[in-house]
Amino acid sequence: MNKEANETNEYMLFGIESDIKHIISSFIYRRKEKGFSQKDLADLTGLKQSAIARIESMKLYPRIDTIILIARALDLQINFKRINTGWSELK
């Protein structure tokens, strides 16, 4: 199994795949809303267009610093809210 696939499986293991999908969907919507191509976004962030394409197609899950970088390029702010996952009860 390649490293990328392994990292993707780790996200699914912790049940956060839907959160990642939501973030990426928000990025795609906002990019299109601003009239940016993937190349435009790549130029703004310093990422490669191919990396943007892999992120948007869910073939690559971005690291948190990449998420923040893309969010800023799209004039978005990341916010966190408290939820009950039940993880704190696991020991």
Side-chain angles (χ1 to χ4, degrees), residues 12-81:
M12 288 186 270
L13 176 67
F14 288 107
I16 60 173
E17 184 178 22
S18 64
D19 295 325
I20 299 295
K21 284 181 180 179
H22 177 74
I23 290 168
I24 292 171
S25 294
S26 297
F27 286 167
I28 294 168
Y29 179 83
R30 181 66 171 159
R31 176 179 63 75
K32 291 179 178 180
E33 182 180 59
K34 292 182 74 67
F36 292 166
S37 66
Q38 289 181 344
K39 175 80 169 94
D40 294 331
L41 184 56
D43 290 343
L44 283 170
T45 60
L47 298 170
K48 293 181 180 179
Q49 184 275 328
S50 60
I52 300 293
R54 289 190 338 237
I55 289 168
E56 288 189 359
S57 66
M58 300 286 294
K59 293 180 181 173
L60 173 67
Y61 285 6
R63 298 181 326 201
I64 188 68
D65 58 327
T66 304
I67 290 172
I68 293 168
L69 179 67
I70 293 171
R72 287 187 177 169
L74 295 172
D75 298 324
L76 294 172
Q77 181 180 25
I78 306 291
N79 292 304
F80 295 93
K81 67 179 180 178

Side-chain angles (χ1 to χ4, degrees), residues 3-18:
K3 182 181 178 194
E4 216 171 87
N6 194 28
E7 289 173 359
T8 299
N9 287 338
E10 288 176 21
Y11 280 113
M12 288 186 270
L13 176 67
F14 288 107
I16 60 173
E17 184 178 22
S18 64

